[in-house]
Amino acid sequence: MNKKYRKPIIAGNWKMNMLCSQTKDFADELKPLLPKNRSSEAVLCVPYPLIGSVLKAVKGLRVAVGAQDVSIYDKGAYTGEVSAEMLADLGVKYCIVGHSERRAYHGETDAQVCAKAKKLLEHGITPIICVGETLEQRELDITMEWVSMQVKGAFAGMDGADVRKCVIAYEPVWAIGTGKTATAEQAQEVCEYIRGVVRKLYDARTARSLPVLYGGSMNAKNAAELLACPDIDGGLIGGASLKPADFSVIINAANEE
Ligand code: PEP
């Protein structure tokens, strides 16, 4: 982490877990475990129907609420879609785009990721843009090319000012939900590379200010080592964000770095 230039972000991704009726207990359990003086931003990216109840439950905890996807459309006849304007109206501050599960199960392309990120920016919501290679791509030694292509695709048509309002999450697909974490060296190597791609595309200022998170089986045990890496500015956390005790250990680790 480099707190001089970037605010650490610890973002939970609840995926399709939890119920409205469980959110108050979650927040009540989390509250006493949060550090008093916090140098990092804590976020919970939750399913759409839970947004209202999580916003209410975390009031006063300095925990921002995020969504997990957004429509590329503004409004109209798009049954099942949720617009960036609707999310902003609710008080959503962050939104994940291009998560590997959406890319794999819903065929989400880099062009759609880019369109979604732009819609979010129009409404003042910070896109958390996920990129990352599969195990096959890592073994073929094309991780950097792949991730670079995803980053360029996501930022297509954006200027430096837009990019400085985004967050990248490097999530090796083979490490998500598998219990296999990238080593700190592997994660740092790719996060540093991503910053280099942004430096070449834009400028040093943009690269320096862009938060790059690591995601993939980050947990209470391995968070401190990953967060100690100079180009890892936080985490996108799935499984461990469902347990207040584990999630708070990660938030505390970011605070101590
Ligand atoms: C994720 O969902 O983005 C994620 C990283 O999940 P997990 O922490 O469970 O691997």
Side-chain angles (χ1 to χ4, degrees):
M1 283 184 172
N2 186 333
K3 288 187 180 169
K4 187 169 162 207
Y5 296 115
R6 305 178 286 274
K7 192 181 179 123
I9 299 169
I10 301 299
N13 174 14
W14 278 4
K15 310 194 189 196
M16 198 170 73
N17 294 298
M18 301 285 272
L19 298 171
C20 281
S21 54
Q22 296 172 310
T23 55
K24 187 178 178 305
D25 285 351
F26 180 95
D28 288 348
E29 220 183 296
L30 184 65
K31 188 176 177 179
L33 305 174
L34 291 173
K36 293 239 153 41
N37 296 312
R38 195 136 30 99
S39 55
S40 63
E41 172 97 329
V43 185
L44 284 171
C45 297
V46 305
Y48 294 139
L50 272 62
I51 289 172
S53 67
V54 175
L55 276 166
K56 198 169 153 204
V58 300
K59 217 170 183 169
L61 300 192
R62 283 187 52 225
V63 173
V65 176
Q68 300 173 7
D69 188 31
V70 68
S71 178
I72 58 172
Y73 304 109
D74 286 327
K75 57 156 65 181
Y78 300 102
T79 304
E81 294 281 277
V82 173
S83 72
E85 187 180 16
M86 290 171 179
L87 295 177
D89 186 48
L90 283 175
V92 163
K93 299 285 180 226
Y94 290 82
C95 182
I96 298 171
V97 288
H99 191 280
S100 63
E101 288 152 15
R102 294 214 61 86
R103 292 183 191 256
Y105 309 144
H106 303 274
E108 198 160 299
T109 63
D110 287 331
Q112 286 168 327
V113 171
C114 176
K116 290 179 179 190
K118 285 176 180 163
K119 283 290 165 219
L120 293 167
L121 291 174
E122 273 174 32
H123 293 280
I125 297 173
T126 303
I128 302 178
I129 300 165
C130 301
V131 299
E133 82 288 3
T134 61
L135 187 56
E136 197 184 0
Q137 288 163 335
R138 178 159 280 268
E139 285 170 355
L140 285 169
D141 205 15
I142 56 166
T143 296
M144 301 309 189
E145 287 85 345
W146 181 257
V147 166
S148 157
M149 199 178 72
Q150 289 181 317
V151 170
K152 287 178 186 161
F155 288 157
M158 284 193 204
D159 60 18
D162 285 338
V163 172
R164 289 193 290 277
K165 292 180 199 141
C166 294
V167 171
I168 291 276
Y170 166 57
E171 299 208 302
V173 180
W174 49 271
I176 299 177
T178 58
K180 278 188 207 156
T181 319
T183 63
E185 291 73 28
Q186 286 171 323
Q188 162 60 25
E189 187 187 23
V190 184
C191 291
E192 185 181 7
Y193 181 82
I194 289 171
R195 204 176 301 290
V197 169
V198 174
R199 190 176 302 113
K200 272 197 206 126
L201 279 177
Y202 296 93
D203 49 43
R205 177 181 164 219
T206 305
R208 207 168 46 217
S209 59
L210 178 74
V212 181
L213 316 183
Y214 167 78
S217 299
M218 188 186 270
N219 58 39
K221 286 204 181 96
N222 59 28
E225 192 189 355
L226 288 157
L227 296 173
C229 298
D231 287 288
I232 299 181
D233 305 310
L236 182 56
I237 299 122
S241 72
L242 294 166
K243 299 176 205 132
D246 290 2
F247 192 49
S248 70
V249 169
I250 303 172
I251 295 170
N252 277 284
N255 217 43
E256 279 155 27
E257 256 319 304

